[in-house]
Amino acid sequence: PRAKHCSSCNNCVEEFDHHCPWVGTCIGRRNYLYFLIFVCSVTLLSGYVLIVSMVRLGIESVKYRNSHNNGFTAFIESMTRNPGIGVLVGFLLLILWSLIGLSGYHIYLTSVAATTNEMMKNLVRQRRAHDRGCLGNWVNKCFSAIPQSMLPPMYELCMRTGAFGDDEGDSLRAGSPPFDADTDGVVELRTAGIGRRDMV
């Protein structure tokens, strides 16, 4: 019931959260924890770099404070003498708020056992059916086993769609890989005739 077909990548995704263009895939049951770790770690790293850069500018401004009466003027002087750090601080001040919001939103979603798709469509009844309480939701998300993919292995898909001839199908059953190596060392996958829709 929480699965959804993603038109962007033409896959059916269990516990569909959203299709993320930044990581180039759908976020769902099998990879949501990794996405959450990624977003939170980028947020923490950006905050760390901002703090270190601000401390560096603060140390530099103390050096220039002797010649200036105003601390703000000394800070501006340190930014003009270290333009790379000044640009980095400006960029991080702009982007960090978005990252904090994104991390906080996904932490909230994990706490209430909801997905972005459910929140956008306001599916309250469906969302409450999976809620185990804040601690139970986090334990479920962090410590439950990641399920196997429901798609069969690629070589089985290729054999089902008839992409391989009989002799190639026999070699696959024997365990040889479904590719040819040229004399130049270039590897070609023998999947002619398989489209994305045929595989899903």
Side-chain angles (χ1 to χ4, degrees), residues 75-87:
F75 186 75
I76 297 298
E77 178 72 24
S78 67
M79 284 183 63
T80 57
R81 293 190 185 223
N82 300 300
I85 296 175
V87 169

Side-chain angles (χ1 to χ4, degrees), residues 35-46:
F35 174 76
L36 183 64
I37 291 169
F38 169 71
V39 169
C40 290
S41 62
V42 167
T43 304
L44 291 173
L45 179 64
S46 298

Side-chain angles (χ1 to χ4, degrees), residues 12-23:
C12 186
V13 181
E14 193 176 2
E15 288 184 31
F16 179 81
D17 190 80
H18 68 284
H19 181 85
C20 183
W22 304 110
V23 296

Side-chain angles (χ1 to χ4, degrees), residues 100-113:
I100 289 171
L102 184 64
S103 296
Y105 178 67
H106 282 284
I107 288 170
Y108 168 74
L109 288 179
T110 302
S111 299
V112 297

